[in-house]
């Protein structure tokens, strides 16, 4: 029986706060409000046999607020951004413009001293490929959007630079079905839309 892995993107904090590399900020009131608005639509995923989450505070809080009681998975952590951790992309660009340009141009580069994009994609894909098929057919994983993008690139066997072309919205769902080495992207309908304000 093929596995069905549904990723739920962690809620984000206030829209006015800039996104940061390896952002460990917790959910703020805006994030909690977003979770409450979509909880009814996402609650059925709590019936999954296995429930996981990224180790970030937002992913853990989102999973708990949705009633998933998820198990933290270190393999689902964000890409290691080395010395750029905690910076916004604009801050990294202001400090090291040539390094940021090199990083964006070549997915294998690690000018920040952290993890390459292919290594990140491979790590997340390795987690996906090692899900226990005999423990049930349905899995839910609450993760940061970057982790979900990596999982999709891996599942589709797309080139690493495709990572930059995938937009994962907070509290959206994405499902892959299959087994190790053979994954398919599945669209089940219209996800709950979260108004941004």
């Amino acid at each position: 029986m093929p596995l069905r892995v549904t990723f739920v993107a962690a809620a984000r904090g206030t829209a006015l706060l800039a996104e940061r590399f390896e952002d460990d900020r917790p959910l703020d009131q805006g994030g909690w409000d977003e979770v409450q608005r979509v909880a009814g639509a996402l609650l059925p995923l709590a019936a999954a046999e296995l429930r996981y989450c990224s180790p970030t505070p937002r992913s853990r809080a989102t999973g708990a607020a949705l009633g998933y009681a998820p198990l933290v998975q270190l393999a689902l952590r964000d890409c290691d951004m080395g010395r750029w951790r905690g910076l916004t992309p604009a801050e990294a660009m202001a400090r090291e413009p040539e390094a940021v340009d090199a990083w964006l141009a070549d997915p294998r580069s690690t000018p920040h001293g952290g993890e390459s994009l292919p290594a990140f994609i491979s790590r997340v894909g390795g987690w996906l490929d090692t899900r226990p098929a005999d423990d049930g057919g349905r899995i839910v994983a609450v993760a940061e959007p970057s982790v979900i993008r990596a999982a999709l690139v891996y599942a589709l066997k797309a080139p690493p630079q495709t990572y930059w072309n995938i937009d994962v919205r907070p509290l959206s769902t994405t499902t892959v079905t299959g087994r190790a080495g053979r994954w398919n992207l599945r669209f089940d309908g219209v996800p709950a839309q979260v108004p941004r304000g």
Side-chain angles (χ1 to χ4, degrees), residues 7-18:
F7 290 97
V8 177
R12 286 289 181 187
T14 303
L16 299 176
L17 295 175

Side-chain angles (χ1 to χ4, degrees), residues 38 41-42 169 171-174 187-194:
V38 300
L42 297 177
R169 303 292 300 157
L171 296 167
S172 63
T173 61
T174 306
F187 294 99
D188 290 321
V190 179
Q193 296 296 315
V194 179

Side-chain angles (χ1 to χ4, degrees), residues 30-48:
W32 284 108
D33 292 345
E34 286 182 351
V35 172
Q36 295 309 308
R37 281 194 291 271
V38 300
L42 297 177
L43 186 60
L45 293 173

Side-chain angles (χ1 to χ4, degrees), residues 4-12 27 31 34-39 41-43 45 52 54 58-59 62-63 66 68 139-149 151-152 166-176 185-196:
R4 178 184 169 121
V5 182
T6 300
F7 290 97
V8 177
R12 286 289 181 187
L27 283 183
E34 286 182 351
V35 172
Q36 295 309 308
R37 281 194 291 271
V38 300
L42 297 177
L43 186 60
L45 293 173
Y52 301 112
S54 294
R58 277 191 308 271
S59 294
T62 300
L66 293 171
Y68 298 170
I139 296 172
V140 66
V142 180
E144 293 297 318
S146 59
V147 172
I148 298 171
R149 287 197 309 265
L152 292 176
I166 300 172
D167 185 23
V168 177
R169 303 292 300 157
L171 296 167
S172 63
T173 61
T174 306
T175 301
V176 294
L185 182 58
R186 178 177 176 148
F187 294 99
D188 290 321
V190 179
Q193 296 296 315
V194 179
R196 297 297 290 182

Side-chain angles (χ1 to χ4, degrees), residues 6 15 26 31 35 38 42 72 76 82 89 107 111 118 122 128 130-131 134 144 158:
T6 300
V35 172
V38 300
L42 297 177
V72 172
L76 295 180
S122 180
L128 187 61
T130 56
R131 292 309 85 214
D134 56 342
E144 293 297 318

Side-chain angles (χ1 to χ4, degrees), residues 3-136:
L3 286 175
R4 178 184 169 121
V5 182
T6 300
F7 290 97
V8 177
R12 286 289 181 187
T14 303
L16 299 176
L17 295 175
E19 295 299 316
R20 297 182 177 279
F21 294 121
E22 289 188 85
D23 191 352
D24 279 340
R25 290 177 294 183
L27 283 183
D28 62 10
Q29 189 59 50
W32 284 108
D33 292 345
E34 286 182 351
V35 172
Q36 295 309 308
R37 281 194 291 271
V38 300
L42 297 177
L43 186 60
L45 293 173
E49 287 86 358
L50 298 170
R51 297 171 302 280
Y52 301 112
C53 70
S54 294
T56 62
R58 277 191 308 271
S59 294
R60 292 191 324 260
T62 300
L66 293 171
Y68 298 170
L71 177 65
V72 172
Q73 299 287 281
L74 292 179
L76 295 180
R77 68 191 179 281
D78 211 340
C79 187
D80 176 0
M81 295 304 291
R83 68 179 172 276
W84 295 350
R85 182 172 199 241
L87 298 179
T88 66
E91 290 169 341
M93 180 62 94
R95 291 179 187 185
E96 302 180 52
E98 291 173 2
V100 172
D101 286 342
W103 175 66
L104 292 172
D106 180 4
R108 295 165 298 177
S109 69
T110 58
H112 44 64
E115 189 174 26
S116 72
L117 191 56
F120 173 49
I121 291 166
S122 180
R123 170 170 48 86
V124 173
W127 176 87
L128 187 61
D129 279 349
T130 56
R131 292 309 85 214
D134 56 342
D135 282 353

